[in-house]
Amino acid sequence: MLDRELNPCAGQQAEPTPASSARLELAGTGEWKRVSPKYVVVEIVGTVVNAVVVCGGATLLWLLLEQTWAMWVGIVVLAVSIINLVFEPRRVRSIGYLLRADDLLFRRGILFQRFVAVPYGRMQLIDITRGPVARWLGLADLKFVTAAASAGVSIPGLAEADAESLRDRLVELAESRRAGL
Amino acid sequence: MNKEPVARSRPPFAAPRTDLTDGEWHRLHPATPLLRGGIFMVAIIGFIIANLRERLIDLFIGEENYGGDPIDTIYERGATGWALLIIAGVLLVILVVFYLSWRTHTFRVTGEIVDVRSGLVFRSNRKARLDRVQGVNLTRPLIPRLFGAARLEITVAGQDGNVQLAYLGSKLADDLRRDILHLASGLRQAKQQAAAPAAPVDQAPVDQAPAIDGVPAAHSALSDFASARFHEFRAPELDPDAALPHSVVRIPLRRLIGSVVLSGFTVFLLLAGIGLVISVVAGSSGWVLVAVLPGLIGSVGYYFSRITKTLRFSIAGTPDGVRVGYGLLSTSSQTLPPGRIHAIEVSQPILWRRFGWWKISINTAGQASGRSSTAVTGTTLLPVGTLADVEKVLQLALPGFDTDTHRALIENGMLGGRKRNAGVADFYSNAPARAVWLRPFSWWRTGWAVSGSVALIRRGVLSRDLILVPLARMQGVRISQGAIRRRLRLASAALHTVSGPVTASLSVIDVDEALVLFEWMSTGAVRSALADTSHHWSRTTPPTQKASE
């Protein structure tokens, strides 16, 4: 369906993007590694919980305190959440990472695209975290922390074994390319 | 109270330069506990005086007061002896605690680390690796400065990782800074071996470690002491290699005052004043005035502190990095070894444009601890200066970035733009004209360039900014694009650096250009990091192994 055309990561190597593409598209990077498809569940649960909490609060405000504006807030949140849910699978598929010779590439987003490159030598530490839902699914988030305030690359939804092996690989790569701060 | 430790101090060393870097444990200035606890003591004295003020009034004016005074109560109950005993006991305890805390507060400097341990009950031990030193700050707050003491702070990366040597004798702190920087630079001086036998008590065990005193000698006459203090006061930068640090920039007082007055704060103040006048004219009651007046008085203090803090600004190149000095009453001088600057921003607020003034801020990994005001001065490399000043400071901050091409790049970045010099080569890769939809005023100044191992970003028209990022220090690069930018075939980009006042981001850039930038920056970051040897900046050949881990 539409997916393959819209999601640039689905089969991008088949047709090299023309120079006139308005999208951000890195050429000649090789195969992006994907996160686990099960990560969709984590995102969906998160969105649903969020929507339930906000909509529930808004409903209470509306019904008990007769604040009409709360109803509109609730409706907007609900609509945004539903749209989010529809796009969730594609968004998860857009998350990718790539270990190049000297740096780690990371990408995510369809509508709001983001590419980050972090040299291995800048690694300060690697963090692996597991949320409750992710743990139930056997997933883990890996965070590559640098000295910069914002440059942390966070790869969500890796299978636990993958996360650990990726961590070891990254630490090893960082050791061999260690640079001062 | 500080007399007692001073009396114990030994004669000054024969070769004071390198005595402290022998790896043995040493002590701080004897007056340290007094200076560190100074504010606390002032508070106690203030409390006592406040309690006794009626008695004092009574003493001087001779009017009868009506009891409620603790001393009266004590006197009436005949407990004077006990009270005096308690006071003496408290004084004794304070003295002993001060003495012990001075005894236990020791430090040592070896070839690899600076190590400080302190604390009576809760022992703390703090080490800084010399090859990770981000800067060495020498601060002389007003009161310690009167005592001839100074605080030496070795900043390392991280929020709270600094090692403080507070307080040291003034001269000694200067020498120690030099030695620490020499050790950190990888240049182990032969002087150390030469001086070691001459020093009398080098092999002394820890508990007999010699006292560190900047006071020339305990037995010196008071006039000697006073004149020494006076000279130090007049020349806060007592550098042994005197001729070398010669400030490249001089800020006239008028320019300094002008720059502080012509700030956003003044605009805010004027707006507030106009609002106030309107509200009074419109007939509101006086409470607005009462509410605003303290703020106005406070703002005078703000101007005053801004000006005194930046007075006597100096910046100079030394073999061990850029040295920035500040301050009239409390002075501070910061040494940034080469390669410790992560991002530089040259900017010109719109109010300064008529005068052609610029300021330079930097990001460094180590933030000097202390109040926010010191943090501000710690990230300013030039509070206000002309175009020529900016050029000189940038030469210090980015050594080797001073060919004609580089100078043209800098000048274009500060003043130029795509529109202005359409015919002339601009060196910058500029945002396309369609960026006008997102940046209606500044699109023509938005551009980037890479030269050697430095990335340059030019942006802003209200406040003109030029940002320079040494690629060897860059932490990562990001490009991103949202729906609106996609329609316009634009993207945004950011170079990640350590946190600080400078953010190296580019809000509009052509899509294809963004990809080029991404590629250039990511490969450039790796390449320049490999060529970088600034963790031991004096070694001429690059070390065979990285970072001596």
Side-chain angles (χ1 to χ4, degrees), chain B residues 370-383:
Chain B
R371 294 162 299 161
S372 55
S373 53
T374 51
V376 168
T377 48
T379 54
T380 307
L381 221 49
L382 179 67

Side-chain angles (χ1 to χ4, degrees), chain A residues 180, chain B residues 130-131 184 340 532-537 539 543 545-548:
Chain B
L130 282 180
D131 60 347
R340 263 60 175 181
D532 181 57
T533 57
S534 56
H535 63 279
H536 272 167
W537 58 91
R539 283 193 188 149
Q545 83 208 43
K546 293 261 171 290
S548 64

Side-chain angles (χ1 to χ4, degrees), chain A residues 19-27 29 100 102-103 105 110-119 122 124 146-152 175-181, chain B residues 132 134 157 339 342 365 471-483 486 489-491 496-499 511-512 514-515 518-519 522 525-526 529 546-547 549:
Chain A
S20 60
S21 156
R23 297 187 70 83
L24 282 176
E25 205 46 69
L26 287 182
T29 47
R100 291 203 294 193
D102 292 301
D103 54 2
L105 283 194
I110 314 162
L111 198 58
F112 295 96
Q113 274 184 300
R114 193 157 68 94
F115 287 84
V116 181
V118 183
R122 307 295 201 277
Q124 297 294 322
T146 65
S150 55
E175 268 317 308
S176 64
R177 289 163 177 78
R178 160 89 43 218
L181 191 61
Chain B
R132 293 298 171 95
Q134 299 294 322
H342 288 237
L471 287 176
R473 300 270 90 75
M474 196 185 74
Q475 302 292 320
V477 54
R478 168 179 63 79
I479 52 174
S480 53
Q481 186 188 48
R486 183 161 313 139
R489 290 178 41 74
L490 296 170
H496 290 151
T497 65
V498 297
S499 63
V511 169
D512 302 327
L515 298 173
F518 192 73
E519 218 42 57
S522 53
V526 172
K546 293 261 171 290
E549 213 89 46

Side-chain angles (χ1 to χ4, degrees), chain B residues 237 243-251 255 310-318 321-327 332-336 341 344 359-362 377-385 388-398:
Chain B
E237 202 49 55
L244 227 122
H246 180 72
S247 179
V248 297
V249 172
R250 199 155 291 283
I251 304 177
R255 191 199 297 164
T310 1
L311 269 175
R312 299 186 59 167
F313 171 83
S314 72
I315 176 165
T318 70
V322 185
R323 183 161 301 168
V324 187
Y326 278 105
S332 114
S333 113
Q334 185 185 23
T335 307
L336 291 164
I341 297 174
I344 305 169
K359 72 174 176 205
I360 300 182
S361 330
I362 52 167
T377 48
T379 54
T380 307
L381 221 49
L382 179 67
V384 53
D389 294 340
V390 168
E391 237 161 58
K392 286 182 212 152
V393 171
L394 284 183
Q395 269 177 33
L396 290 180
L398 293 170

Side-chain angles (χ1 to χ4, degrees), chain B residues 28 38 49 65 138 162 236 284 319 333 348 407 424 431 449 459 466 497:
Chain B
L28 296 163
I49 288 175
N65 76 67
L138 187 58
N162 294 352
S284 85
S333 113
Q348 180 179 55
R407 226 166 279 142
V424 192
R459 68 180 186 205
L466 167 68
T497 65

Side-chain angles (χ1 to χ4, degrees), chain A residues 111-140:
Chain A
L111 198 58
F112 295 96
Q113 274 184 300
R114 193 157 68 94
F115 287 84
V116 181
V118 183
Y120 297 128
R122 307 295 201 277
M123 186 196 88
Q124 297 294 322
L125 59 98
I126 286 185
D127 227 1
I128 292 187
T129 52
R130 298 177 183 84
V133 181
R135 194 162 41 206
W136 174 60
L137 292 166
L139 298 180

